[in-house]
Amino acid sequence: MQVFKEKATLQKAVRAIKSKGKSLGLVPTMGALHKGHISLVENAEKDCDEVVVSIFVNPTQFDNPEDLKKYPRSLENDLKLLKDSQKELIIFAPNPEELYGDKIASEQFDFEGLEKVMEGKYRTGHFDGVGTVVKLLFEAVKPDRAFFGEKDFQQLQIIRKLTQKAGLPVEIVGCPILREENGLARSSRNERLSTEEREKAAFIYETLLKVKRLFGIKSAASINSWVEKEFKKCSFLKLEYFEIADIQTLKKINKKEKGHKYRAFVAAYAGDVRLIDNMALNN
Ligand code: AMP
């Protein structure tokens, strides 16, 4: 495993790979790695000759400075986890100045409304920060393919839009959500929950499964109000939003239309830990 903190040395290694005609995959992460991230690495290893995993806690995508401060950082542990990978991975772990230069700030993007709903509505400027860092990482690494989790489905669709609008020569690959045994979506934030809280947080997954069953027989409006009532009964979780949305526009639906695909999206707080999840409703 090679670990690079500087763009220049990373790019030398990338040039050597490309000169041999090999394909390069990128798995962008913010570290505090868990099995969800590892599943992305495995997908990348299957699809590409060489794989770069970036580990970078991106300051511009946090709307809350406390959240940025509290975000777990554990490079040594992350490297230990990645050592067991099939391939000799390349790790890119720059500091903010190395990646951004002097000006650590977001570019402003127009993602045609995808950035205005759900996470974008509740986390001001979040997707400008995501778009900025993804562009910088693509410029630095020049991958052929980049792998993102459906766990952050809105982010995945926004990155697809960014790539398409900016004409970036990178194929975006979406990977399924990896869950804990009880169904809770794996997340670095789960580390901040006690064992009991982690058990209780499976409520989110269980509710999504019920939503999927109801989707065939009930209207979106009646499912919405059912979900809101269920969350009110669950004193442990505070619902921030629940939406059933079209996967292309991410707009909340009133009526199902033939040929469209839909997902249910949830954000909820367990104490001060913000959890998100989503599920495909029709395949
Ligand atoms: P993060 O480090 O949280 O920014 O996540 C890095 C990448 O891992 C993103 O593309 C996430 O969507 C993906 N990811 C995080 N958790 C999971 C999970 N449980 N299953 C699949 N992908 C995940």
Side-chain angles (χ1 to χ4, degrees):
M1 191 160 70
Q2 291 172 280
V3 182
F4 296 103
K5 299 218 162 199
E6 284 156 14
K7 273 192 279 189
T9 44
L10 167 82
Q11 282 164 345
K12 201 169 156 212
V14 166
R15 278 196 297 275
I17 290 168
K18 301 234 159 172
S19 70
K20 292 181 196 144
K22 290 183 170 180
S23 63
L24 185 63
L26 169 66
V27 180
T29 80
M30 297 211 296
L33 300 183
H34 51 72
K35 287 186 180 160
H37 298 110
I38 300 303
S39 73
L40 261 55
V41 174
E42 287 168 355
N43 276 305
E45 286 179 319
K46 268 187 230 138
D47 268 21
C48 305
D49 297 320
E50 303 280 350
V51 176
V52 175
V53 179
S54 63
I55 297 179
F56 179 69
V57 180
N58 175 35
T60 63
Q61 72 186 67
F62 286 82
D63 56 335
N64 175 349
E66 265 313 294
D67 205 19
L68 171 61
K69 231 195 315 180
K70 277 195 212 149
Y71 202 85
R73 288 160 174 87
S74 53
L75 185 60
E76 256 178 53
N77 261 338
D78 292 345
L79 296 182
K80 267 191 217 150
L81 259 181
L82 294 169
K83 269 213 171 91
D84 294 333
S85 298
Q86 268 190 326
K87 290 193 195 283
E88 278 289 308
L89 298 173
I90 297 170
I91 313 302
F92 181 42
N95 65 33
E97 291 73 23
E98 177 66 18
L99 193 65
Y100 276 85
D102 298 339
K103 202 170 152 243
I104 301 176
S106 290
E107 204 182 307
Q108 311 284 301
F109 292 95
D110 173 7
F111 296 121
E112 299 174 1
L114 296 180
E115 76 280 27
K116 302 256 193 303
V117 295
M118 299 189 288
E119 292 302 286
K121 196 160 131 195
Y122 289 92
R123 302 178 69 189
T124 321
H126 172 67
F127 288 118
D128 281 334
V130 170
T132 305
V133 78
V134 167
K135 257 181 88 180
L136 289 170
L137 286 169
F138 284 2
E139 274 161 26
V141 181
K142 299 199 169 45
D144 300 295
R145 281 179 217 128
F147 296 77
F148 293 90
E150 289 181 346
K151 159 84 178 10
D152 301 281
F153 192 83
Q154 185 173 10
Q155 168 177 283
L156 171 63
Q157 296 301 64
I158 282 177
I159 290 163
R160 287 193 165 122
K161 181 68 77 188
L162 166 77
T163 312
Q164 173 209 329
K165 281 188 85 169
L168 306 176
V170 184
E171 183 192 335
I172 305 302
V173 184
C175 305
I177 302 174
L178 209 87
R179 300 180 177 280
E180 301 196 2
E181 302 255 298
N182 66 6
L184 174 65
R186 289 190 184 265
S187 163
S188 311
R189 289 164 197 250
N190 296 356
E191 296 304 318
R192 289 170 50 204
L193 301 174
S194 68
T195 314
E196 193 192 340
E197 288 172 331
R198 255 163 125 133
E199 276 313 310
K200 284 191 184 160
F203 177 85
I204 299 173
Y205 176 64
E206 287 155 11
T207 307
L208 284 172
L209 278 180
K210 287 182 194 155
V211 165
K212 189 173 173 122
R213 267 180 251 134
L214 289 173
F215 190 69
I217 48 176
K218 298 266 183 201
S219 70
S222 72
I223 296 174
N224 282 341
S225 54
W226 177 79
V227 169
E228 278 165 23
K229 271 190 224 137
E230 287 299 293
F231 269 89
K232 278 201 183 115
K233 284 191 246 163
C234 172
S235 57
F236 165 67
L237 289 165
K238 192 168 167 285
L239 182 65
E240 187 168 56
Y241 65 75
F242 170 79
E243 294 195 6
I244 294 177
D246 185 302
I247 67 161
Q248 293 307 330
T249 61
L250 298 181
K251 284 202 177 111
K252 212 173 174 164
I253 61 159
N254 295 315
K255 237 175 71 194
K256 298 170 217 170
E257 284 179 61
K258 259 206 169 142
H260 288 234
K261 288 194 178 164
Y262 302 105
R263 274 190 180 245
F265 297 85
V266 177
Y269 279 92
D272 66 344
V273 183
R274 190 169 182 278
L275 301 170
I276 60 168
D277 201 349
N278 68 87
M279 189 177 283
L281 298 179
N282 58 344
N283 298 308

